[in-house]
Amino acid sequence: MSIATAPSPSVALPGGRSDLVVVGAGIVGLAHAVEAVRRGLSVTVVERDRRPVGASVRNFGHCCITAQQGDLLTLAERSRTGWLDAAARAGLWAPEAGALVVARSATELAVLEELRDERGTDAVRLRTRDEVGDALGRPADERDDLVGGALLPADLRVDPREAAPRLAAWLAEQPGATVLWGTNVTGVEEGTVHTARGPVHGEQVLLCVGHDLDRLHPAEAEAHGIERCRLSMARIEAPAAFRTDAAILTATSMLRYDAFTATPSAARLRSEVVGHSPELLDVVANVMFTRLPDGTVLVGDSHAYDATEIPFQDEATSTLLLREAARVLGVSEVRVTERWQGVYASSPRGPLLVRDVAAGVRAISVTSGVGMTLSFGLAAATFDGALKVTA
Ligand SMILES: Cc1cc2nc3c(=O)[nH]c(=O)nc-3n(C[C@H](O)[C@H](O)[C@H](O)COP(=O)(O)OP(=O)(O)OC[C@H]3O[C@@H](n4cnc5c(N)ncnc54)[C@H](O)[C@@H]3O)c2cc1C
C-alpha cells in the first residue's frame, strides 16, 4: 500500500540555548515572544502546526479594553500599548476605531449611561440614535428600533487572520528569534522542551498552548477547571453602507463583559432579554460583529462548554446569530461566505491560568474569551514579574 502525502519543508532545530522558549504560536505565545525581543532576549517559538490556526485566527480581532473591570482592565490597558507598538513594528492593520455598543431599549441605554457615569465621558461617549444609525449605515427612515448607543474609543481592532501570522513572520526576521513550525511539543522539563523532532533548550520556558494545556499537564489544567468553549462564527458580505471599523456590540454583549454586568441596570437588562429573546440566552449568545479590511464582516457568537468539544455545528444557532446581526444592521438577510467553529480555553475558576509547572517552566492560558485583548498586557506583566502565579 502506498499513501501519497505532500512533502513537508524540513525544520532545523536550533543547536544552542535561547533565553526563552515559547510553546504555541497563538497570540499569547507570540505577544510574549515579541516582548522578549523588545527586551533584548533571544527566543525560540515552537508551534505544532504550519501556521497559526487556533483561537487567535478564529476570533473577531476585537481588543475589548473598556468593557473589562478591575485587574483585567489594568492588563487590557497595558495590552493596548503593546498592540500598538507591535502593530507599528510588524506593520499590522490596527485601527484605533473603538467599539460601538448599540442600544435598542431604554434599559440597554441605561447600562451605557451608568458605565459612562463610572468611567467618564472620554471613555464612554454616548451616541444618539442617528449617530448609531449612520455608523451602521442604516437609512434615515429605518432607525425606529434604535434608541442610542455608546462609543468606547479605547478599544482597538486588528485583523485576526493577519495578526498572528504576520507577528510570527516579523519575529522570524529578528536577530536572536526563531520560529519552529510543524514541531509538536511532547513534554517539558527545566531547561528543555522535548519535541517530536528532538530537544529545544532554553533558560526559561513559557507554555502558551491555551486549552491544550490539558494534553501536556492534565493535572494543572484540571486544577484550574480548564474546558473548551466552542463558538459558532460566520463571515458575511457587508451591506454596502456598513463601513465602520469599530467593533459592534449589542445587548447580549452587555450581559457578558464585566464592566456592563457590574452596572445597576444589568440585572434588569437580563430580565428584559429573557423576556424578548430567551433563545439567545439558551445558546449563550454574544451577538457582535467586526468588519475586516476587505469589507467582509465577522459575525458571532454562541458559547458551549465541554472538556472535549462537540465537532458538529448546529445550523439553528448559526441562523439565530445571523438573524440577530441582520436586525442590528437593518437588513432583511445576510449572505454568508464562510462558517467555522472557534474554540478557546475557559474555566469557571477565573479568566487566567498562570502556573509554574516545573522549575523555569510557566504555563499561561487565558481561560476566558479575552485573549486577544489581554495578550500584550500579559506579556509585559510576565517580564515585569507582575503576574499573580497560582501555587
Ligand atoms: C470565535 C472566537 C471569538 C473570540 N473573540 C475574541 C475577541 O473579540 N477578543 C478577545 O480578546 N478574544 C477573543 N477570543 C478569545 C481569544 O481568541 C483567545 O483567548 C486567544 O486567541 C488565545 O490565544 P492563545 O495563544 O492562548 O491560543 P491559540 O491561538 O489557540 O494558540 C495556542 C497555540 O498552541 C499550539 N499548541 C498547542 N499544543 C501544542 C504542542 N503540544 N506543541 C506545539 N504547539 C502547541 C496550538 O497549535 C496553537 O497554535 C475569541 C475566541 C474565539 C474562538
Side-chain angles (χ1 to χ4, degrees):
M1 183 177 75
S2 82
I3 300 173
T5 54
S8 295
S10 61
V11 174
L13 297 192
R17 195 177 187 85
S18 301
D19 294 322
L20 178 69
V21 179
V22 174
V23 182
I27 201 60
V28 174
L30 292 171
H32 280 86
V34 169
E35 187 64 23
V37 166
R38 216 176 65 80
R39 295 182 187 225
L41 302 175
S42 59
V43 59
T44 302
V45 178
V46 188
E47 166 58 49
R48 69 179 171 201
D49 278 305
R50 291 280 170 178
R51 59 183 179 281
V53 289
S56 303
V57 298
R58 302 184 195 195
N59 62 50
F60 291 99
H62 173 211
C63 301
C64 178
I65 314 286
T66 304
Q68 308 306 321
Q69 267 297 74
D71 291 348
L72 288 198
L73 178 60
T74 309
L75 272 179
E77 287 172 340
R78 188 129 191 232
S79 194
R80 184 180 198 278
T81 312
W83 264 113
L84 289 173
D85 179 70
R89 287 164 184 258
L92 301 182
W93 182 80
E96 297 182 60
L100 179 68
V101 196
V102 177
R104 290 181 292 162
S105 80
T107 313
E108 294 173 23
L109 191 59
V111 167
L112 298 176
E113 287 168 346
E114 288 159 5
L115 186 62
R116 184 267 326 265
D117 293 345
E118 192 216 318
R119 297 283 177 87
T121 49
D122 284 343
V124 180
R125 299 184 189 157
L126 292 185
R127 290 288 179 257
T128 64
R129 165 188 288 160
D130 279 331
E131 285 169 332
V132 173
D134 288 346
L136 294 172
R138 290 175 57 162
D141 57 349
E142 292 176 23
R143 297 176 177 179
D144 286 352
D145 59 318
L146 300 175
V147 172
L151 180 72
L152 312 178
D155 285 23
L156 286 182
R157 285 291 324 290
V158 295
D159 177 350
R161 294 164 184 226
E162 173 209 60
R166 192 168 280 197
L167 284 170
W170 176 84
L171 270 171
E173 289 167 359
Q174 306 311 305
T178 306
V179 182
L180 300 173
W181 299 108
T183 304
N184 190 45
V185 170
T186 53
V188 187
E189 61 182 307
E190 182 176 9
T192 304
V193 171
H194 297 282
T195 84
R197 297 179 187 277
V200 177
H201 302 288
E203 295 298 325
Q204 301 285 325
V205 179
L206 289 175
L207 284 178
C208 303
V209 294
H211 44 269
D212 288 334
L213 186 66
D214 62 0
R215 297 192 178 151
L216 286 168
H217 286 274
E220 307 289 352
E222 280 157 20
H224 188 70
I226 279 205
E227 14 181 47
R228 287 168 173 75
C229 177
R230 181 170 64 91
L231 303 88
S232 180
M233 297 287 287
R235 183 182 194 175
I236 61 168
E237 286 177 0
F242 178 67
R243 297 195 169 276
T244 181
D245 287 330
I248 305 297
L249 304 182
T250 68
T252 45
S253 318
M254 290 190 245
L255 297 180
R256 204 161 172 82
Y257 297 112
D258 289 350
F260 302 119
T261 59
T263 62
S265 291
R268 191 153 49 93
L269 176 58
R270 178 164 286 279
S271 308
E272 192 174 280
V273 178
V274 168
H276 63 67
S277 304
E279 66 285 3
L280 288 175
L281 297 182
D282 289 345
V283 300
V284 198
N286 169 10
V287 178
M288 59 173 287
F289 41 96
T290 53
R291 186 174 177 272
L292 293 182
D294 70 359
T296 57
V297 178
L298 306 178
V299 177
D301 59 17
S302 55
H303 299 81
Y305 303 88
D306 207 338
T308 296
E309 76 275 19
I310 296 169
F312 312 110
Q313 275 185 270
D314 178 20
E315 186 61 17
T317 300
S318 189
T319 305
L320 178 66
L321 297 170
L322 290 165
R323 194 183 64 209
E324 195 59 20
R327 277 191 192 138
V328 177
L329 284 163
V331 295
S332 54
E333 59 180 349
V334 291
R335 205 179 96 74
V336 176
T337 59
E338 289 174 351
R339 291 179 206 268
W340 66 98
Q341 178 160 281
V343 180
Y344 66 65
S346 180
S347 165
R349 304 209 180 123
L352 292 178
L353 176 154
V354 183
R355 273 174 189 258
D356 290 332
V357 296
V361 182
R362 178 165 292 177
I364 302 181
S365 291
V366 178
T367 50
S368 174
V370 289
M372 288 297 269
T373 305
L374 300 184
S375 48
F376 282 92
L378 277 175
T382 295
F383 288 100
D384 288 350
L387 265 193
K388 205 162 104 198
V389 182
T390 312

